Amino acid sequence: MSALSSSSVNSPRHSSLSPPPPISLGRLNPLLAGSRNIFKPLRLSSIVRIYMADSDSRSSVLAESECDANGVTIESVNPEYAEVIVIRHGETEWNTHRRIQGHLDVDLNDAGRQQAFAVADRLSREPKISAVYSSDLKRAFDTAEIIAKGCGVLEVTKEPDLRERHLGDLQGVVFHEAAKTNPEAHRAFTSNREDQEIPGGGESFNQLYERSTSALQRIAKKHKGERVVIVSHGGTIRALHRRAYPHGRTGKVLNTSVNVFHLSEDEWSIKSWGDVSHLNQTGFLDTGFGGDRNSG
């Protein structure tokens, strides 16, 4: 596995974590000129899928509920497991233009920040989050900071091994132009060989899989009996799905989609996948790059 750069990305903290004003479609249109991407109503039936591939139900993974001093029910995780909520970062302008990001550091756009606030609000109304981890790339880290503040978590822990796949010479290239402008890298990227590295320092899928699944297992080991949030990237989340369901299909990994894993020492399972119900009121780019083919 090729070594990742050990230098951390200095991502400036937002001076204010107030949500941006709602985005009107009229204001978005100039940003999307020449693009087919438009906001469309959410169709949950085609996005939310519940995985019960193993024989255990959710109740076998969760311990009995208890009440706090105010009589509010608290759902406790079975001490043999960690419940890990894996979330893709909010949208970036490069997502809307189908430009490949990889390890390049791209900021959230206004829609992406709205998505981050929406998922933070959702998680703040669910059982307690013990910790928030994130890729050290800005689009993920800034999403994670918004979530942490909303859930009362004091700081976000950066984990470089949760970065997107390094895509070598394809980074910064518009996806539909890649075959023409970078044919060798494009062939490597679309190869069925999972050990195929991408020219220009890019990783193979196997290298991405090794570092990302090892990172998730390390985090889960630290947080048995707890719920934690991880903010990462489309390609990385696909690799985590592969670990839990080697022959399963992921579909699109949409911005700020919620994917819930249960991890023990030797068992991974997925209890829900691709949930974007929190975006009902904000809309999302239904035809955007959306995490397809390890985009970002």
Side-chain angles (χ1 to χ4, degrees):
M1 170 179 172
S2 44
L4 289 174
S5 170
S6 60
S7 61
S8 61
V9 177
N10 294 321
S11 177
R13 292 178 179 268
H14 296 296
S15 58
S16 170
L17 286 178
S18 299
I23 298 174
S24 68
L25 296 186
R27 188 158 68 83
L28 275 175
N29 283 340
L31 296 177
L32 302 179
S35 171
R36 297 177 57 141
N37 299 331
I38 58 173
F39 276 102
K40 294 184 179 180
L42 181 66
R43 295 191 296 277
L44 280 179
S45 60
S46 64
I47 295 169
V48 179
R49 288 168 286 160
I50 304 301
Y51 285 75
M52 299 301 292
D54 54 16
S55 59
D56 295 332
S57 68
R58 180 178 171 84
S59 60
S60 67
V61 177
L62 299 174
E64 293 184 2
S65 299
E66 55 186 35
C67 293
D68 65 13
N70 298 316
V72 177
T73 300
I74 303 172
E75 191 180 58
S76 301
V77 179
N78 186 310
E80 296 302 314
Y81 291 81
E83 181 163 288
V84 185
I85 303 164
V86 179
I87 298 172
R88 188 182 175 214
H89 62 80
E91 182 187 276
T92 71
E93 283 306 298
W94 282 28
N95 288 148
T96 69
H97 295 296
R98 297 175 62 86
R99 190 174 295 277
I100 297 171
Q101 297 175 122
H103 279 200
L104 298 183
D105 229 3
V106 183
D107 289 309
L108 297 176
N109 62 14
D110 285 344
R113 285 179 55 75
Q114 283 195 53
Q115 292 167 342
F117 279 103
V119 74
D121 178 66
R122 168 198 173 148
L123 294 173
S124 72
R125 291 181 280 106
E126 294 183 358
K128 179 184 175 182
I129 301 298
S130 298
V132 178
Y133 291 81
S134 175
S135 155
D136 59 348
L137 297 177
K138 286 192 292 186
R139 56 192 183 274
F141 186 72
D142 289 354
T143 302
E145 281 202 307
I146 292 170
I147 292 170
K149 185 171 180 64
C151 294
V153 176
L154 294 180
E155 64 178 350
V156 176
T157 302
K158 290 183 179 181
E159 175 49 77
D161 282 344
L162 295 173
R163 280 187 178 193
E164 180 57 284
R165 181 181 178 184
H166 193 303
L167 294 169
D169 290 339
L170 293 180
Q171 296 186 157
V173 176
V174 175
F175 183 72
H176 69 268
E177 298 173 355
K180 181 178 180 180
T181 60
N182 301 78
E184 184 181 356
H186 183 264
R187 282 194 298 272
F189 180 58
T190 56
S191 169
N192 290 326
R193 285 183 48 193
E194 296 188 345
D195 62 349
Q196 175 66 61
E197 297 180 11
I198 300 174
E203 294 174 285
S204 68
F205 178 82
N206 286 346
Q207 291 168 334
L208 168 68
Y209 178 92
E210 180 183 339
R211 67 168 166 85
S212 61
T213 57
S214 295
L216 199 69
Q217 189 72 66
R218 288 196 305 270
I219 292 168
K221 187 175 182 179
K222 293 179 183 177
H223 294 282
K224 284 185 178 181
E226 299 176 345
R227 302 177 80 236
V228 298
V229 167
I230 284 175
V231 182
S232 190
H233 306 264
T236 308
I237 294 170
R238 287 175 179 275
L240 300 177
H241 184 280
R242 173 74 68 85
R243 169 64 177 81
Y245 289 102
H247 305 294
R249 294 174 62 86
T250 61
K252 283 189 174 183
V253 181
L254 295 169
N255 294 109
T256 68
S257 58
V258 173
N259 310 285
V260 181
F261 291 73
H262 286 162
L263 276 71
S264 66
E265 288 288 345
D266 55 3
E267 179 185 350
W268 289 41
S269 63
I270 297 175
K271 295 305 174 183
S272 67
W273 186 261
D275 185 352
V276 287
S277 56
H278 49 282
L279 299 183
N280 268 325
Q281 302 304 315
T282 61
F284 67 97
L285 293 179
D286 189 40
T287 57
F289 206 23
D292 292 349
R293 299 291 299 169
N294 306 324
S295 66

